[in-house]
């Protein structure tokens, strides 16, 4: 088995002091200015070419590096460009050349993508111009959690830096960084690293599970080994969200615009101390929520891939109806499912296994056994139903997941994985993720086991590191 290489993108929040923020904003503004300046030139060159067909113009306008070569003379003319490191400056030009080339290609092609017009001027206030350092370790230095960015040498040729701090460094561990992009989104800075990974070659699928995501639990899975698994949602998430709502309400009663500060360049408001205090609490809780959710999702994903070579999940989207609170809860759940998909696809890549997303339209209302479709669908409170077509008894989510599994096996042409006895669930499990791992309890035929699980560890199965499942009989 040969490993293959892949690049991945890792986005990490950055802690930036107010002073550094001003500097980074300045760098971004200058890159934005340069982009517009070069676009201005490009527009003139385009007109010139239309009139003269001068081949020299083509060299500047339509090549990969033509516009970039205009930067050195421009730096002499506009010395303020020198305060920005050469990498982000160069990339402002490359970005424009790239946009022009995309436009050219879309014109030559069959205009598949009608949105690609000639590039337009960019407004800095509408979008922070990202700073791209496209060569490894050029223009930036990573030391522990501190990320030091080099600025331009300026007119006095003095080296200048700005220090920022990565909120976490673990995702970068052992990975080769190819490039770094600094972005600012909704007032928050992020370092976006492109890294190179070597990954195991994909393994053959012999066992598969299809998951039906929904709002009663995180997901309900049915597998080709005739096991079904109900994965509970994280119980603490609701409590955390309630606490967050309280804090946000408290913060928003304080003054956001408390004092006006005026600098040489601009003016801005600073919030009151109470506002800041609550905001800090909110940020901390959000960070905690993010970390805990991540651990939760990884624990589940790893346990699933220990047992199965293929994990498939429905393309769930909540209907968004109902009152505001329910809607928001369903939005939260949607983003949880969204992240779950990302985590699954990531864990599958790392373990040489497979991930697949299937169209789950109609999976709930259709009997997996005879194909009978319930007119108008099943309302959410119906957890069990009898099929009017073939009189089969269905557990709502299990039937949906079975339909999903049938679709997945058909989509991927691996229907031979279904055992002769079909998809009947022989064992029903309930999974709960704890920091120590997944706790699985057997259901259905062993109802007593579930009931006893509260006081005893004997009936608890931990999906351990070695893929084996231990079940201590009562
Ligand atoms: Zn039926």
């Amino acid at each position: 088995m040969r490993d293959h290489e892949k690049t991945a993108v890792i986005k990490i929040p950055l802690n930036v002091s107010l002073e550094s923020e001003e500097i980074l904003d300045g760098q971004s503004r200058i890159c934005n200015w340069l982009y517009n300046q070069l676009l201005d030139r490009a527009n003139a060159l385009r007109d010139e070419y239309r009139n003269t067909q001068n081949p020299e113009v083509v060299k500047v306008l339509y090549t990969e590096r033509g516009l970039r070569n205009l930067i050195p003379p421009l730096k002499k003319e506009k010395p303020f460009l020198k305060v920005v490191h050469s990498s982000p400056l160069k990339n402002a030009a490359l970005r424009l050349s790239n946009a022009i080339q995309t436009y050219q290609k879309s014109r030559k092609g069959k205009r598949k993508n009608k949105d690609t017009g000639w590039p337009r001027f960019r407004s800095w206030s509408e979008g922070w111009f990202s700073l791209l350092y496209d060569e490894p370790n050029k223009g930036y230095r990573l030391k522990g959690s501190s990320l030091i960015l080099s600025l331009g040498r300026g007119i006095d040729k003095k080296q200048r830096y700005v220090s920022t701090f990565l909120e976490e460094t673990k995702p970068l561990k052992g990975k080769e960084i190819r490039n770094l992009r600094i972005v600012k989104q909704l007032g928050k800075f992020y370092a976006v690293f492109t890294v190179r990974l070597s990954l195991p070659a994909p393994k053959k699928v012999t066992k598969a599970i299809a998951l039906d995501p929904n709002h009663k639990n995180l997901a309900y899975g049915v597998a080709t080994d005739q096991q079904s698994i109900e994965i509970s949602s994280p119980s603490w998430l609701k409590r955390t969200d309630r606490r967050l709502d309280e804090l946000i309400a408290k913060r928003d009663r304080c003054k956001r615009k408390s004092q006006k500060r005026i600098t040489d360049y601009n003016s801005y408001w600073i919030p009151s101390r109470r506002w800041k205090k609550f905001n800090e609490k909110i940020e901390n809780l959000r960070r905690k929520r993010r970390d805990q959710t991540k651990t939760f999702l990884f624990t589940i994903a790893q346990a699933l891939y220990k047992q199965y070579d293929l994990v498939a999940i429905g393309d769930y989207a909540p209907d968004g109806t109902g009152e505001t609170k329910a809607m928001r809860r369903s939005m939260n759940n949607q983003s949880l499912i969204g992240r779950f998909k990302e985590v699954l696809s990531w864990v599958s890549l790392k373990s040489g296994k497979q991930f697949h997303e299937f169209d789950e339209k109609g999976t709930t209302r259709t009997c997996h056994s005879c194909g009978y479709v319930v007119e108008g669908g099943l309302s959410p409170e119906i957890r069990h139903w009898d099929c009017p077509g073939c009189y089969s008894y269905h557990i709502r989510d299990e039937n949906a997941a079975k339909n999903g599994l049938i679709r997945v096996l058909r989509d991927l042409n691996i229907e031979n994985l279904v055992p002769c006895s079909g998809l009947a669930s022989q064992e029903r499990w309930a999974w709960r993720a704890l920091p120590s791992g997944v706790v699985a309890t057997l259901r259905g035929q062993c109802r007593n086991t579930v009931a006893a699980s509260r006081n005893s560890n004997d009936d608890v199965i931990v999906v351990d590191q070695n893929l084996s499942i231990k079940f201590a009989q009562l």
Side-chain angles (χ1 to χ4, degrees), residues 20 107 118 151 171 197 249 252 320 337 346 355 389 411 422 428 433 462:
S20 301
R107 263 175 51 116
W118 181 261
L151 310 177
L197 318 156
D252 292 347
I337 297 293
W346 173 244
F355 169 76
D411 285 358
R428 297 200 172 94
V462 176

Side-chain angles (χ1 to χ4, degrees), residues 161-174:
Y161 302 99
V162 56
S163 288
T164 63
F165 294 91
L166 294 172
E167 283 190 11
E168 54 176 344
T169 54
K170 226 160 104 199
L172 292 173
K173 220 171 148 189

Side-chain angles (χ1 to χ4, degrees), residues 358-404:
F358 63 87
D359 172 17
E360 69 171 287
K361 207 168 145 203
T363 50
T364 303
R365 67 178 67 178
T366 309
C367 166
H368 80 271
S369 159
C370 73
Y372 181 92
V373 178
V374 178
E375 200 73 42
L378 293 169
S379 67
E381 66 276 8
I382 298 174
R383 308 309 301 165
H384 311 268
W385 56 289
D386 291 304
C387 170
C390 67
Y391 308 110
S392 305
Y393 167 77
H394 292 311
I395 295 172
R396 177 201 179 93
D397 299 339
E398 191 170 282
N399 176 63
K402 278 183 185 165
N403 278 318

Side-chain angles (χ1 to χ4, degrees), residues 334-458:
Q334 186 184 26
S335 72
L336 188 68
I337 297 293
R339 283 181 68 195
F340 187 39
K341 286 178 191 167
E342 285 169 20
V343 170
L344 282 172
S345 110
W346 173 244
V347 174
S348 76
L349 268 177
K350 278 209 302 194
S351 53
K353 301 208 169 181
Q354 291 194 32
F355 169 76
H356 179 71
E357 218 176 314
F358 63 87
D359 172 17
E360 69 171 287
K361 207 168 145 203
T363 50
T364 303
R365 67 178 67 178
T366 309
C367 166
H368 80 271
S369 159
C370 73
Y372 181 92
V373 178
V374 178
E375 200 73 42
L378 293 169
S379 67
E381 66 276 8
I382 298 174
R383 308 309 301 165
H384 311 268
W385 56 289
D386 291 304
C387 170
C390 67
Y391 308 110
S392 305
Y393 167 77
H394 292 311
I395 295 172
R396 177 201 179 93
D397 299 339
E398 191 170 282
N399 176 63
K402 278 183 185 165
N403 278 318
L405 185 60
I406 293 166
R407 278 188 197 177
V408 170
L409 300 177
R410 205 183 42 212
D411 285 358
L412 303 177
N413 213 3
I414 44 173
E415 283 147 304
N416 58 324
L417 295 185
V418 180
C420 311
S421 49
L423 289 177
S425 293
Q426 303 288 348
E427 283 181 352
R428 297 200 172 94
W429 297 89
W431 277 22
R432 264 180 326 125
L434 298 179
S436 53
V438 167
V439 175
T441 32
L442 196 54
R443 278 196 176 165
Q445 60 268 66
C446 295
R447 273 179 213 280
N448 298 337
T449 316
V450 181
S453 68
R454 267 174 222 186
N455 323 331
S456 157
N457 284 325
D458 297 344

